[in-house]
Amino acid sequence: MKKNYDIIVFDLDGTITASDLGITNSIKYALNYFGLEKDNESLKRHIGPALSATFREYVGDDEEKIQLAIKKYREYYVDQGGMLENEVYEGVEETLKEIKNRGKKIILASSKPMVFCEKILQHFKLDKYFDFIGGSNLDETRCKKVEVITYSLENIGEVPGANVLMVGDREYDILGAKELGIDSVGVLFGYGDKEELENAGATYIIEKMTDILEIV
C-alpha cells in the first residue's frame, strides 16, 4: 500500500549531484600534502562520511593532522573550484518540481557543511525547491546523518515519523533514517551499490530519480 509521505528528505552527494570529481580531487590534494598518492577511483568510497573519518584512515588519530588535512581539502574544494566540479543527475529537477507540485515539503540533509550545500544548490538553481537546506557545521560537528536529518526536520517544525521519507545513495542515509524510524529510498545511480543499500535496510531501492514519483 502506497504511503502518503508529506516530507521528502534528500542527501546531496550521489543523490542530487554527481560530485565525485570535485570531492576526490580535493582528497587527493590534501593527501598529496602528506606525501600520499591515491587515484580518484579508489577515493570514491569516501563520498558520504565526514572528512574527519576519511582522513583519520590516512593520517591516524592525530587531531592536528586531521584538521590540517581538512584545511588542505578545503583549499582545493573552495578556493580552486572543486565544489563546482559537479553535475546534477538526470531527472532530478523534474522530480523535485513534481514533488513540490504535489504539495509536499522537500528538505536537504547532508553531512557536507551547510554553507557548501547552499552554494551548490544555488549554483544549479535547485535551492528554490527546498523548504530547508541542512548540513553539518564547518568544524565537523552535526555531521552524522541522524543528527543532520533531525536538525533539518526541526527547522521546518516537524518531528520524525511515518510521513517522512529519506532519499540517499549510501548506507549512512539508510541507517540514519532507520534510527529515527523513517522510511528510506536507496538510489542506485550514486556511490553505494544494491548490496550496501539492501544490507542497510532501505525500504525502497530505485534505479533513476524519477522512480521516486511512484513512491511519493
Side-chain angles (χ1 to χ4, degrees):
M1 183 177 175
K2 187 175 179 179
K3 288 190 180 181
N4 180 30
Y5 296 107
D6 301 313
I7 304 162
I8 316 302
V9 187
F10 284 93
D11 174 45
L12 180 58
D13 295 324
T15 303
I16 298 292
T17 63
S19 53
D20 54 281
L21 182 61
I23 291 173
T24 56
N25 277 343
S26 300
I27 296 173
K28 275 176 65 176
Y29 179 86
L31 293 180
N32 284 343
Y33 179 82
F34 291 92
L36 301 170
E37 292 188 11
K38 296 290 179 181
D39 64 277
N40 289 64
E41 192 63 32
S42 69
L43 295 173
K44 283 185 180 181
R45 65 189 177 88
H46 295 301
I47 300 173
L51 289 175
S52 54
T54 292
F55 289 124
R56 183 169 281 109
E57 182 176 323
Y58 295 100
V59 303
D61 291 325
D62 185 323
E63 284 300 322
E64 284 191 12
K65 285 186 177 179
I66 291 170
Q67 291 306 312
L68 178 56
I70 292 172
K71 180 182 178 183
K72 301 306 289 186
Y73 172 98
R74 289 180 179 155
E75 277 183 18
Y76 184 91
Y77 192 75
V78 178
D79 301 334
Q80 299 187 34
M83 187 190 312
L84 300 180
E85 290 179 330
N86 203 346
E87 61 183 24
V88 179
Y89 284 114
E90 183 178 355
V92 165
E93 183 159 19
E94 68 178 278
T95 300
L96 294 174
K97 187 174 183 178
E98 177 58 26
I99 291 172
K100 291 301 287 184
N101 286 342
R102 294 180 186 183
K104 302 175 187 296
K105 290 184 177 180
I106 300 175
I107 60 178
L108 191 87
S110 171
S111 293
K112 184 187 294 297
M114 199 156 123
V115 62
F116 300 155
C117 294
E118 292 169 344
K119 287 180 179 178
I120 290 165
L121 291 178
Q122 287 166 4
H123 174 77
F124 290 114
K125 297 180 172 56
L126 296 176
D127 55 310
K128 61 189 174 185
Y129 298 109
F130 288 82
D131 294 278
F132 184 76
I133 296 170
S136 65
N137 294 312
L138 282 168
D139 64 0
E140 290 279 293
T141 55
R142 199 179 64 231
C143 64
K144 292 180 181 177
K145 187 59 68 164
V146 65
E147 295 172 335
V148 78
I149 295 171
T150 301
Y151 173 75
S152 294
L153 288 169
E154 286 174 348
N155 272 275
I156 59 165
E158 300 288 344
V159 294
N163 66 331
V164 179
L165 184 67
M166 175 74 211
V167 184
D169 68 312
R170 296 297 310 273
E171 62 182 344
Y172 314 101
D173 304 301
I174 308 306
L175 294 173
K178 185 184 285 186
E179 193 171 338
L180 294 171
I182 294 172
D183 285 354
S184 58
V185 176
V187 304
L188 294 177
F189 50 80
Y191 303 113
D193 57 29
K194 190 172 184 180
E195 183 180 11
E196 175 181 330
L197 296 168
E198 285 179 341
N199 289 343
T203 313
Y204 314 93
I205 294 179
I206 62 174
E207 293 186 355
K208 58 185 187 297
M209 183 57 85
T210 51
D211 290 343
I212 199 172
L213 297 175
E214 302 300 316
I215 299 169
V216 304

